[in-house]
Amino acid sequence: MLSEQALTEIARERAKYPEDRAQSALLAALRIAQEDQGFLATEVMDYVAHLLGIEPIRAYEVATFYSMYDLQPVGRHKICVCGSVSCFLRGSDQILAHLEEQLGIKVGETTPDGLFTLREVECLGACLGAPMMQVGDRYYENLTKDRVDSILAALREGGDDVG
Amino acid sequence: MPIIEIDGKPIDVAPGTTIMEAAQALGIYIPFFCYHPKLSVAANCRMCLVDVEKAPKPLPACATPVADGMKVSTASRKAKMAQQGVLEFLLINHPLDCPICDQGGECPLQDITMGFANPHSQYTEEKRVVEDKDIGPLIATEMTRCIQCTRCVRFGQEIGGIMELGATGRGERMAIGTYVAQAVRSELSGNMIDLCPVGALTSKPFRFTARNWELKHTPGICPHCSTGCHIDIQSRGREVMRVLPRPAEAVNEEWICDKGRFAYAGLAADDRVTQPLLRVDGEWREVSWAEALDATVGGIEHLLREHGAQQLGGLISARASVEELFLFQGLLRGIGSPHVDHRLTQQDFRADAAMPLYPALNMALEDLEREPVILLCHGFPRNEQPLTNHRLRKAVLAGGQIFVLAEQQRDFNYPVTQIVAGAGADVALYERLCRYLEQPEAIAELQGDTVLVRAAQALRAADNPVILVGSGALRHPRAAELLYWIGQVAALAGGRLSWLGEGANSAGAWIAGCIPHRLPGGAASPQQGLPAGAMWASGLKGYVLMDCEPTLDCWDGAAAEHALCAAELVISIGCFSREAQRYAHVILPAVAFGEGAGRYINNEGREQPFRAAVRAAGEARPGWKILRVLGHSLGVEDFAFMELEEVTRAWQRAVGEFPLDVTPLAPFPHCASGAHTAAPLLRMGEWPLYRSDPLVRRSAPLAQQAVARLHPEQAAALQLHPGVVEITTATGKALLPLVLDRKIPMGAVWVPMGFPETRDLGPAMGPCAIASAPTVAAAALAAV
Ligand code: SF4
Ligand code: SF4
Ligand code: FES
Ligand code: FES
């Protein structure tokens, strides 16, 4: 179900913890599985739980807690807009509304062309640059509607890491 | 020892005690939801906040250990504000639908709100709604009511041993559920209903049928296995409405299994008999007691005259009370028949003479938790004695080691080392274990038996390990050989034998003399009778059956049916008629669960009396009264009992004091090895969890489906695919859905006992053939 490489990486994570603490490797194992598979289907979580010898429900609990895990297929770019206090005070709701309008989707949805998924998440620890969002591995801070437009345009043109 | 003060009262407690525990010791009530003395501390509901001097903020009493000199106030202004605040938050998302909630009247949230909340809420926004889950036929969910205390989750993880419920999602979206739709499978699942402090988890069978304040409570003893859990039978009028556990730390702590909790639903079965039934010219007729007793007594007298008492046999279940068992054997022996037995599921009786007085645990259930090394011989207590299994689980969690020798792998809910050899080869496991115990120096050279060698080493290293004889050992077709080897293992390992009794009153049945070779109290019977299996083989002319359905309860249902149908007289004393009508001539209605009084002796040797919770249905009579009348009418001496207590006293006089620790009366004989069935395919049968007695079989919420199980490789070798298969034995056929299961050994097919569908197949273990079902038959089955 997972690639050789993913299995090796999970085994390496597992080895970091004592025999009876398999659960400690769960966060990392789920991340590796998601990178390998694109998202965490129930069968993937079951398999990870099986690899670690823990009950599947433990994997479901962790995977549904963190917004970084995707339980459904996502678009090529996952846009995570912070909606927590600092960002909210600096207008994150308007940024979100603007994104919805520009992409033609609601929070939680994926554009029909499979390019963008839009999410609202909790504080990403970049309050200094509020309002902010994360796309892929990268943070975009001090957002305005114009800046959002230019980021979207660059992403549409094929960039993965635009700034 | 820290000395602390709660609400001005000083107390001296052990270090590490929490404020909650100290307050309870002082009799001071602190409200709580998530705290439970048998579960780990989660401290997530915050209901137990108390005001601790010098602490800036209120602290959770359930999670705060005491410190010397601590001054706690549970009712200061600060504490009160904390309590009110927590309740206000908890109620924000609670639907407050008490009038339609089954928990109403027995709900901590209701009570604590009445006692501690601010009557005014500031909340005017929308409440969240959580989707209900379908988690099976036993537990109804109303998840919007959940307060996320996680008691149910912790129960699954810490007590049930299979974690099925979890808390998924985060913050406002957190919800309790299974995530993927599935029924909970734990045999202890019903306890979550009791643990849930709100109406989120309620009993499906009981739902919407009564309010708790309408119910009468009667203390009872569970009749479904040898643990003998204490139960609270709750009734309204003449009806048992539900069964809950009654706290008994030494027996069931505060749990019961789902069998004990939901079997009562079987009382509603449509074949419950409440009026004596007589077969007249092949037709069943309801008759008066007088007529039925005339027919019974007349029939027995006729049989005695024509064929002699040797042609009459009596079989009774191990759910009968001590009094009934005592009278039953007294009746049979009083009219001259030595053939009396209760061991319906057994087949091999060659070790009878050596058996101890009764199958005793030889220790307290609580002691089981502390055993470091246990060898479990052929048993699956998770099915057979669920709450004894709970003690074994605790032993393992405390660092104990359990080795299991058996004929197939099973789903233990704790780590054990299972050593299996398929049916036919399993006796040899014990033989090999003895070799390794005998010659430790040779162990190093032995190859390929590493697990068994490990067991041998652990047993040798342990001081007086427990050799636990499971119910499966006595049911084994070569039980006597097993027992011989088990005795050898115990001797070589310097261990002690301990027995897991099968029925609620197995101990009582042995002690009361419902066995063909011993009288009440264990003295050898002057006249050796036939044991259960042999009664069928000998084709007696008459049978008296009490509280059993031999066609489903016996090791060989087909043989039982054959013998019963051929007999001239079959008297069935019991609560249900469907099976009995196939073979009986008279059916005498006896009281059912909850309607009778008596006493059981559990696996520990604990005598546990119980009384009736509700009046008998219709014309049903207590078993002991029926037996008394029969004995009296048939001229048996000393049968003129008027009260149950007189029977109890007569039993006590006959038995005297019985020991709690028993040893085999003689070394187990070395029996010749029984013919090993060299069949290409062996039928392996056992009674599934909810098919073990007439009442539980009739409980609709506990319905189980009959299926055949095969190892996937065995199925492939036989070119069988999941679907319907036809199993054929010398005596009959059965059509069953096939399930692939890696736990079944090669060369065997698992086919359950206790189902009408498999009745005709005969012995629980024996040769059989399997084939894909003919399409017509399969279609017919699918249509059902
Ligand atoms: S379902 Fe009941 S026991 Fe489980 S978390 Fe919710 S309130 Fe607690
Ligand atoms: S463990 Fe045995 S005695 Fe206890 S409730 Fe279950 S069946 Fe009844
Ligand atoms: S509140 Fe948005 S990054 Fe912290
Ligand atoms: S009872 Fe202490 S926090 Fe729930």
Side-chain angles (χ1 to χ4, degrees):
Chain A
M1 180 165 278
L2 297 181
S3 68
E4 272 311 310
Q5 193 201 339
L7 289 176
T8 322
E9 279 179 48
I10 291 178
R12 193 179 322 126
E13 290 295 333
R14 174 66 189 89
K16 289 184 185 165
Y17 305 98
E19 176 99 41
D20 56 339
R21 292 278 187 278
Q23 174 138 13
S24 305
L26 184 55
L27 275 177
L30 286 173
R31 174 180 51 74
I32 294 164
Q34 171 163 314
E35 281 165 9
D36 196 60
Q37 297 289 310
F39 74 102
L40 293 174
T42 307
E43 305 79 67
V44 176
M45 291 191 276
D46 289 348
Y47 185 65
V48 169
H50 168 76
L51 285 178
L52 298 179
I54 59 180
E55 284 100 340
I57 184 77
R58 301 251 189 191
Y60 309 152
E61 285 186 329
V62 166
T64 54
F65 187 88
Y66 295 102
S67 55
M68 296 79 176
Y69 294 116
D70 297 313
L71 305 174
Q72 240 84 80
V74 287
R76 168 133 171 253
H77 303 291
K78 187 167 82 159
I79 304 179
C80 300
V81 182
C82 169
S84 291
V85 171
S86 307
C87 292
F88 179 76
L89 291 174
R90 303 271 298 151
S92 64
D93 51 338
Q94 283 150 39
I95 297 294
L96 202 60
H98 183 67
L99 274 162
E100 284 185 342
E101 199 182 304
Q102 291 302 308
L103 299 174
I105 54 173
K106 293 261 166 251
V107 171
E109 292 176 352
T110 300
T111 51
D113 59 3
L115 213 47
F116 297 104
T117 298
L118 185 59
R119 285 272 162 79
E120 182 181 354
V121 300
E122 304 302 326
C123 177
L124 288 170
C127 319
L128 193 66
M132 63 81 67
M133 67 184 190
Q134 178 184 9
V135 184
D137 289 338
R138 174 143 189 186
Y139 279 12
Y140 298 90
E141 303 177 8
N142 299 313
L143 296 175
T144 59
K145 287 185 187 169
D146 287 347
R147 234 175 92 63
V148 167
D149 288 344
S150 63
I151 294 167
L152 285 184
L155 289 171
R156 281 205 169 98
E157 257 149 50
D160 257 338
D161 186 15
V162 298
Chain B
M1 298 276 259
I3 299 186
I4 68 160
E5 206 181 283
I6 305 180
D7 293 347
K9 293 189 200 159
I11 184 171
D12 187 348
V13 289
T17 310
T18 60
I19 298 178
M20 178 69 87
E21 288 158 350
Q24 289 184 341
L26 275 173
I28 293 173
Y29 176 71
I30 298 175
F32 61 87
F33 294 115
C34 70
Y35 166 77
H36 191 279
K38 297 270 177 204
L39 301 177
S40 63
V41 172
N44 57 16
C45 76
R46 313 314 272 187
M47 191 61 236
C48 65
L49 289 177
V50 291
D51 181 3
V52 179
E53 197 180 86
K54 298 206 192 80
K57 290 196 285 184
L59 297 176
C62 68
T64 310
V66 297
D68 199 23
M70 202 180 234
K71 284 202 170 59
V72 178
S73 165
T74 69
S76 67
R77 193 178 128 76
K78 195 155 133 193
K80 281 222 161 89
M81 281 179 62
Q83 289 163 349
Q84 291 186 348
V86 166
L87 273 171
E88 190 171 349
F89 272 109
L90 278 178
L91 294 179
I92 275 182
N93 279 319
H94 194 79
L96 296 171
D97 56 348
C98 308
I100 54 155
C101 174
D102 246 23
Q103 190 87 349
E106 50 181 0
C107 175
L109 184 60
Q110 244 181 0
D111 296 345
I112 293 174
T113 299
M114 294 306 288
F116 297 87
N118 180 339
H120 304 287
S121 166
Q122 306 162 49
Y123 189 76
T124 53
E125 292 80 0
E126 263 174 47
K127 286 176 186 270
R128 80 170 193 160
V129 171
V130 183
E131 211 181 309
D132 293 336
K133 322 285 187 298
D134 183 0
I135 56 170
L138 305 179
I139 305 179
T141 67
E142 196 70 53
M143 295 323 280
T144 300
R145 296 185 189 134
C146 170
I147 58 168
Q148 285 91 35
C149 70
T150 70
R151 274 183 173 192
C152 54
V153 176
R154 282 175 286 148
F155 177 85
Q157 207 172 330
E158 295 163 17
I159 311 281
I162 24 178
M163 189 180 168
E164 299 173 287
L165 293 182
T168 56
R170 174 179 187 172
E172 203 195 10
R173 283 181 212 100
M174 174 172 161
I176 300 291
T178 46
Y179 187 71
V180 288
Q182 63 177 31
V184 296
R185 289 159 302 146
S186 165
E187 70 286 359
L188 302 180
S189 73
N191 294 297
M192 295 194 248
I193 300 170
D194 300 342
L195 283 176
C196 180
V198 299
L201 307 179
T202 54
S203 162
K204 237 183 219 179
F206 174 70
R207 208 170 194 215
F208 303 145
T209 58
R211 280 301 190 187
N212 85 313
W213 56 83
E214 304 173 282
L215 300 174
K216 184 181 104 181
H217 300 239
T218 313
I221 301 296
C222 175
H224 298 288
C225 86
S226 65
T227 312
C229 294
H230 291 212
I231 52 173
D232 178 13
I233 305 176
Q234 304 194 352
S235 56
R236 185 178 57 192
R238 299 180 73 155
E239 207 183 337
V240 173
M241 301 303 294
R242 65 175 173 181
V243 171
L244 296 187
R246 190 155 51 89
E249 201 48 39
V251 182
N252 49 310
E253 301 179 30
E254 50 191 87
W255 322 117
I256 51 172
C257 75
D258 291 354
K259 171 149 63 167
R261 184 184 297 264
F262 296 111
Y264 77 90
L267 291 171
D270 55 4
D271 68 333
R272 174 80 207 272
V273 273
T274 52
Q275 180 83 31
L277 296 174
L278 190 62
R279 182 160 26 189
V280 186
D281 303 328
E283 293 285 314
W284 282 100
R285 240 194 252 155
E286 289 199 344
V287 297
S288 68
W289 266 103
E291 207 174 326
L293 287 171
D294 275 351
T296 308
V297 172
I300 294 179
E301 279 171 346
H302 181 254
L303 189 123
L304 295 179
R305 259 196 324 274
E306 293 293 307
H307 308 289
Q310 286 291 340
Q311 281 298 325
L312 186 69
L315 285 160
I316 184 165
S317 83
R319 277 175 314 282
S321 68
V322 159
E323 289 83 354
E324 288 162 349
L325 289 155
F326 178 65
L327 290 184
F328 190 76
Q329 62 83 35
L331 171 68
L332 267 293
R333 292 194 167 117
I335 53 178
S337 166
H339 313 311
V340 50
D341 210 344
H342 72 280
R343 299 165 298 171
L344 307 174
T345 58
Q346 294 181 31
Q347 177 63 7
D348 179 2
F349 301 93
R350 287 174 293 166
D352 266 6
M355 282 296 287
L357 177 61
Y358 66 102
L361 198 57
N362 281 339
M363 64 175 111
L365 278 163
E366 286 175 293
D367 295 340
L368 208 48
E369 297 175 8
R370 289 184 277 275
E371 288 298 336
V373 177
I374 298 173
L375 178 75
L376 173 56
C377 310
H378 272 72
F380 185 42
R382 188 171 168 203
N383 264 9
E384 293 153 355
Q385 300 88 5
L387 277 150
T388 304
N389 184 60
H390 169 62
R391 301 285 182 169
L392 290 170
R393 181 166 183 276
K394 284 168 101 176
V396 172
L397 295 187
Q401 261 183 305
I402 300 187
F403 296 91
V404 186
L405 299 192
E407 75 295 358
Q408 68 159 85
Q409 298 274 351
R410 293 182 212 263
D411 270 327
F412 279 85
N413 54 349
Y414 41 90
V416 296
T417 310
Q418 303 194 49
I419 307 168
V420 301
D426 50 352
V427 179
L429 282 177
Y430 293 86
E431 222 174 310
R432 295 216 303 283
L433 179 61
C434 280
R435 266 220 312 284
Y436 303 147
L437 282 167
E438 223 162 5
Q439 314 166 323
E441 60 287 349
I443 280 181
E445 300 146 32
L446 295 161
Q447 305 271 316
D449 230 358
T450 41
V451 213
L452 210 48
V453 167
R454 204 146 49 74
Q457 283 164 337
L459 287 171
R460 286 184 63 89
D463 176 27
N464 202 9
V466 177
I467 313 296
L468 189 55
V469 188
S471 309
L474 294 177
R475 279 200 306 264
H476 199 278
R478 291 159 71 193
E481 293 160 56
L482 270 189
L483 288 177
Y484 168 76
W485 287 110
I486 291 172
Q488 296 293 307
V489 169
L492 292 169
R496 58 197 200 282
L497 285 183
S498 168
W499 305 75
L500 288 173
E502 192 171 47
N505 207 10
S506 286
W510 276 85
I511 298 173
C514 271
I515 34 175
H517 59 296
R518 288 186 201 153
L519 301 177
S525 167
Q527 212 190 348
Q528 177 91 17
L530 295 173
M535 281 192 222
W536 309 133
S538 322
L540 302 180
K541 295 272 191 274
Y543 295 90
V544 181
L545 309 173
M546 185 145 185
D547 188 27
C548 60
E549 299 177 320
T551 43
L552 302 180
D553 285 330
C554 283
W555 164 266
D556 185 345
E561 170 136 332
H562 184 77
L564 289 168
C565 289
E568 283 176 21
L569 179 70
V570 177
I571 314 287
S572 176
I573 307 172
C575 318
F576 303 106
S577 64
R578 189 168 303 119
E579 283 297 304
Q581 288 193 349
R582 302 164 62 87
Y583 45 70
H585 301 94
V586 189
I587 300 178
L588 302 176
V591 296
F593 167 76
E595 301 171 357
R599 60 187 58 217
Y600 285 156
I601 301 174
N602 84 344
N603 207 176
E604 304 164 286
R606 194 186 289 270
E607 247 184 275
Q608 309 201 104
F610 55 90
R611 58 190 169 84
V614 292
R615 279 177 53 197
E619 293 281 294
R621 292 283 179 273
W624 72 269
K625 283 195 180 168
I626 300 175
L627 294 170
R628 178 208 51 191
V629 170
L630 291 181
H632 193 65
S633 317
L634 288 163
V636 180
E637 267 174 51
D638 298 334
F639 250 61
F641 302 104
M642 296 308 289
E643 299 293 335
L644 181 64
E645 289 69 47
E646 294 170 28
V647 187
T648 315
R649 277 199 297 277
W651 169 75
Q652 278 160 345
R653 272 197 307 277
V655 165
E657 289 262 314
F658 58 88
L660 297 182
D661 282 310
V662 298
T663 43
L665 299 193
F668 288 108
H670 192 165
C671 301
S673 143
H676 165 45
T677 16
L681 193 66
L682 201 64
R683 180 251 169 121
M684 271 173 38
E686 63 184 340
W687 280 262
L689 182 55
Y690 301 137
R691 301 301 299 183
S692 54
D693 62 63
L695 183 64
V696 70
R697 281 198 283 270
R698 287 172 170 79
S699 170
L702 297 180
Q704 272 180 319
Q705 203 200 358
V707 296
R709 295 175 182 275
L710 266 187
H711 194 284
E713 281 162 33
Q714 181 71 59
L718 294 167
Q719 298 185 332
L720 290 170
H721 306 286
V724 178
V725 289
E726 186 178 60
I727 318 262
T728 316
T729 65
T731 51
K733 287 182 192 313
L735 284 177
L736 299 171
L738 178 65
V739 172
L740 300 182
D741 185 343
R742 296 201 161 268
K743 295 191 292 297
I744 309 304
M746 295 296 283
V749 51
W750 183 93
V751 183
M753 302 293 287
F755 284 96
E757 295 91 315
T758 63
R759 182 208 292 127
D760 298 341
L761 293 179
M765 203 174 280
C768 75
I770 187 169
S772 321
T775 28
V776 186
L781 187 75
V784 176

